Amino acid sequence: MHIYTDPKELQRQCLFWRREGLRVGLVPTMGYFHAGHLALMDCARKQCDRLVVTLFVNPVQFGAGEDLDKYPHDFDGDKDKAESKKVDALFVPMSRDMYAPDHATWVEVPELATHLCGASRPIHFRGVCTVVAKLFMLTQPNVAVFGQKDWQQLAIIRRMVRDLDIPVEIVGHEIVREADGLALSSRNTYLTEEERAAAPAIRQGLLKLADKVRGGERDADKAAAFLAEEYARTLPMGRPDYITLVDPDGIRPVKAIEGPVLAAVAIQMGKARLIDNILIEV
Ligand code: AMP
């Protein structure tokens, strides 16, 4: 595995691979690898000849007062894990090499970024789209794998790729969970023991909601209120940022549930803001 810090050097290597006719796979991450990240790497590995993993805590997707400075990191651990997944190139750039002091170009998909996480994190998805577009330019991937845990991010990236005719196949990977159902996240490390013990209620509530909808509930507001009550009872230490049912592609809130619907939640648990979702087919 080669570690790249210089964007242009990585780009030269990836362009070379593409000229050689090799399929390049990309997994963008912010590091502090867990089994979710490693599953994305396995998934990409199967679909490419050269696997590029990027590890970059992208400052422009963090708002003021968010956890940019505290984001967990363990470079040596990540390096070993990436090596064990037969990653060919691990890209670990410095912010100053990704963003010139007079960086002035942004990519956004505002229509899909007004609800869910976009509501409380107004600049987040602009930062995500911009860095992912840059990573696509730098690595020239045939295929890029993203997690469904960040469903809104995945929907936005799919739309960006379609609208800008970026020649990459986007693959969404299912959510990887702990045995008790908690979605794996680098941010789980912020949880106290007590919060960690309570956190599986996030997933359990979503499963109950799915049962309710499959059982005939068609009013999305009532379904969301049901989940809010459920969390008030089972997760009193959690402060919901949102509990919303949206259409899975357009990320617009639905009123009447008439087709597939995504129930998505963000719950503040102490220092950690945890997100999870479930796709409900009716
Ligand atoms: P992050 O490092 O948190 O930005 O995540 C990098 C990629 O891993 C994103 O595409 C995430 O959606 C994905 N990811 C993070 N956690 C999980 C998980 N528990 N299951 C599946 N994918 C995940």
Side-chain angles (χ1 to χ4, degrees), residues 10 40 64-65 101 110-111 116 121 135 141 150 162 173 179 202 223 234 248 263 265 267 277:
L10 175 77
L40 267 53
E111 295 231 349
L116 307 189
R121 308 187 72 192
L135 294 172
D150 300 273
R162 191 204 68 183
H173 190 285
I202 297 175
T234 60
V265 300
I267 311 284
N277 65 71

Side-chain angles (χ1 to χ4, degrees), residues 28-30 34 37 40 71 146-147 149-150 174-176 184:
T29 81
M30 298 203 298
H34 51 64
H37 295 116
L40 267 53
Y71 200 80
F146 294 85
K149 183 169 87 75
D150 300 273
E174 66 180 24
I175 303 176
V176 179
L184 291 176

